[in-house]
Amino acid sequence: MTERTTFFDTRLDYLKGLGPQRAELLNKELHLFTAGDLIQYYPFRYEDRTRFYTIAELMESMPSAQVRGRLRDWHTEGEGPKKRLVGSFTDGTGTMDLVWFQGLSWLEKTLRRDGEYVAFGKPQEFQGKFSIVHPELDAIRPEAEPEATLSPVYNLTEKLRRRFVDNKVMAKAMRSLLEQAWPHISETLPASLIEKFRLVGKREAVWNIHLPQSPAWLRQAERRLKFEELFYNQLRLIANKLIQKEEHPGQVFTKTALLAHFYKTMLPFPLTGAQQRVLREIHKDCLTGRQMNRLLQGDVGSGKTIVAFITMLLAIDNGAQACLMAPTEILADQHYNGLKPFADAMGLNLGILTGSTKTKRRRVLHDELLTGRMHILVGTHALLEDIVQFRNLGLCIIDEQHRFGVAQRAKMWAKNPVVPPHILVMTATPIPRTLAMTLYGNLDISIIDEMPAGRKPIKTVHKYDKHRAEVFGFMRQQIELGRQVYVVYPLIEESETLDYKDLTDGFEGMQRAFPQPQYQVGILHGKMDPYSKDYEMTRFAKGEVNILVATTVIEVGVNVPNASVMVIESAERFGLSQLHQLRGRVGRGSDQSYCVLMTGYKLSADTKLRLETMVRTNNGFEIADVDLQLRGPGDLAGTQQSGLMDLRLADLAKDGPVLTAARESAQIILETDPQLILPEHAPIRNHIDAIGRTQSDWSRIS
């Protein structure tokens, strides 16, 4: 082991300034075991101790303040739990009280009458006089100037504080650790990157993240460590992508006759520039002889399905089969019904396999797949079953991929053990660019950022419950024009009786407001059996139902171009992404469509921002950026991806430019020196080696 690795593996009880008891507390309470763990336990904020206030300058609105003065005297007041020690503190501009409720006997022994101190805490005013309860009190030595600093504040537990391990003790322990660690901290970034981005050195950054010399030094330390953290995150993802491309061959699709025939004679509408660009990127991947792994992002209604079909034609042209896997039966059915007219027109055999497929039909499908007579298979998780074998699977398209785990995708690749199929992952959930770079950094990314011609932007309005009569009037007006309406209720958990009652009450209220025979109102929710769901959905799709009262079961998988109004009840209970997905159920025809967000009056600041964002824009990527700021990357990514979100300092909602710079730097380095053998890349190589050798979590500093 290297000297550096040995030091950062040192257990806390062997470090100067800590001792066995405190080390044991840090083990149990914060899961910190080694020097490497402790040095990466960063403060979550800093208290500004750079300025001293006089008592005359204090205001109750101040979150905290520090005052230099003399402790003239003290006395105890009250009895029992209300017993307190009150000290009289003065600085020449006035007098204030310092109040303690705990540790009174110890304080009385240690306080010095007429001693000079710096008192720090939250000022409170009562009857014209200021006080600080449980101030931090530091004695000033004669002839010494008190230190003006930014003091680190660490996340500490109540048990640690009770055992006198507070921020002061942590800062003291950290100073001792940093002094011991100084000679062992090696540079982890190449000199070229440090120079290019004007980054401070690793040692200076680590010192100033804990004990900043000034606000400017703190900013430099944060910038350096965030860059490094994201650089190593991206280096790992890009290296994995390069290894994947190197290790996994892919079928070469050179023939394009079928594709050209469809494009020239059967394409029902001209492709947008974005669709054409994406198809060129896909075709280029399929000519390399390496497995394609591409993420296709496109907003609701941007035309991903036609891109998927044209990609399937490319595979079929070259003697391969294609499959499309969707997370739900509703979505699989929609894809099947959407692709069927195209497949029939091209004389291709298209099948569907879901949990509902009958045994007799399954046998036929399995036989047609093995003999190659089945060109395209659409399905759900049923495609993953071992019995489902292809003659030559060349392309696998996965829709709404965040609903499938890594193991499930790997099972799909194994369907062609000789040459794994090309993978195209599609999502209609716009992912902020910074999140996509981290979650899907090992995939190539294509974006359809253009809507088909003739699509009118959906007009969105926010209405309070008192406007219900006005909204009903608007719905009647639209129905008279021959349009249809969705009314969605927030059934968040199928077991929540309150939500279920909301839906049934809403349905009954809608039937009263829109009575038969003039109006037909349908209902759709997750508790209904598949037959009833299909029946209701078919009636709505055929135009036999004017208003469909539903839960979020219609969030995906429903395509009714004649539905032009989406009313979302209790819109404050939905997240931005869900509101955007629901709105995407309308606006699918040439008529002007509308989305009405209904809420109560008590709305939080975050809820107001969500609703304002929905009213302001239809752009899914803009909405996703706001969602990222509101919810944070962990919530958006979900538990499957939580490991990738484990960043100590960087914040994907705020540090987009740093992430972009870090990714581009990692890309250039791996393209020019994939093995990291050049002398200038020694710091990266050494750091990766140290991570591999050390048992501690020191790697997390990057």
Side-chain angles (χ1 to χ4, degrees), residues 468 472 476 489 502-515 521 549:
R468 194 166 296 283
F472 282 179
R476 288 188 191 97
Y489 282 84
D502 284 352
L503 177 78
T504 48
D505 284 356
F507 174 60
E508 287 163 10
M510 207 59 67
Q511 283 181 314
R512 285 194 296 274
F514 295 87
V521 182
V549 177

Side-chain angles (χ1 to χ4, degrees), residues 456-463 471 474-479 481 483-488 561-568 579-580 582-597 614-615 618:
K456 293 174 182 165
I458 301 161
K459 289 182 180 172
T460 304
V461 292
H462 171 210
K463 295 286 181 184
V471 172
F474 176 70
M475 287 163 62
R476 288 188 191 97
Q477 192 184 7
Q478 288 292 303
I479 292 167
L481 291 170
R483 315 276 184 264
Q484 289 163 280
V485 181
Y486 293 108
V487 179
V488 178
N562 192 50
S564 66
V565 181
M566 166 64 70
V567 178
I568 303 176
L579 288 172
H580 182 60
L582 287 167
R583 176 168 63 181
R585 294 300 108 211
V586 296
R588 295 178 161 253
S590 54
D591 300 313
Q592 177 63 58
S593 288
Y594 305 88
C595 177
V596 183
L597 306 171
M614 286 293 294
V615 171
N618 278 280

Side-chain angles (χ1 to χ4, degrees), residues 231-244 436-443 644 663 670:
F231 172 79
Y232 278 99
N233 173 286
Q234 293 301 306
L235 193 80
R236 177 168 57 91
L237 288 167
I238 295 164
N240 286 347
K241 182 162 78 171
L242 293 173
I243 291 165
Q244 206 173 22
M437 272 191 248
T438 312
L439 285 183
Y440 305 116
N442 59 339
L443 299 177
L644 290 168
R663 183 174 177 79
L670 287 173

Side-chain angles (χ1 to χ4, degrees), residues 523-637:
I523 187 167
L524 186 69
H525 57 82
K527 284 190 173 179
M528 293 162 68
D529 60 75
Y531 174 79
S532 302
K533 278 186 202 170
D534 288 346
Y535 174 72
E536 283 297 336
M537 206 55 245
T538 305
R539 285 177 68 214
F540 190 64
K542 285 181 178 174
E544 294 169 10
V545 170
N546 308 111
I547 300 167
L548 184 63
V549 177
T551 63
T552 52
V553 74
I554 60 123
E555 184 182 342
V556 290
V558 180
N559 186 12
V560 182
N562 192 50
S564 66
V565 181
M566 166 64 70
V567 178
I568 303 176
E569 292 284 352
S570 304
E572 67 269 30
R573 291 175 65 182
F574 292 93
L576 252 182
S577 171
Q578 212 174 17
L579 288 172
H580 182 60
Q581 288 285 330
L582 287 167
R583 176 168 63 181
R585 294 300 108 211
V586 296
R588 295 178 161 253
S590 54
D591 300 313
Q592 177 63 58
S593 288
Y594 305 88
C595 177
V596 183
L597 306 171
M598 300 292 297
T599 72
Y601 290 98
K602 287 183 181 176
L603 302 176
S604 68
D606 281 2
T607 302
K608 283 176 183 168
L609 179 56
R610 284 205 302 271
L611 300 172
E612 284 162 13
T613 304
M614 286 293 294
V615 171
R616 187 184 78 248
T617 182
N618 278 280
N619 183 318
F621 292 97
E622 196 180 327
I623 286 167
D625 279 331
V626 176
D627 205 18
L628 177 62
Q629 287 161 26
L630 286 173
R631 291 205 284 159
D635 290 340
L636 291 186

Side-chain angles (χ1 to χ4, degrees), residues 389-429:
Q389 297 293 323
F390 294 79
R391 183 165 180 260
N392 177 20
L393 180 62
L395 171 69
C396 177
I397 297 174
I398 301 172
D399 195 26
E400 293 303 338
Q401 89 95 34
H402 58 282
R403 302 197 187 187
F404 293 102
V406 176
Q408 291 168 313
R409 294 202 300 275
K411 210 166 182 186
M412 209 65 235
W413 300 354
K415 296 286 181 185
N416 196 342
V418 183
V419 184
H422 292 296
I423 305 293
L424 182 66
V425 165
M426 301 197 303
T427 180
T429 307

Side-chain angles (χ1 to χ4, degrees), residues 164-175:
F164 304 106
V165 179
D166 56 11
N167 281 301
K168 213 165 160 185
V169 168
M170 283 292 283
K172 194 176 175 185
M174 206 62 80
R175 183 178 289 276

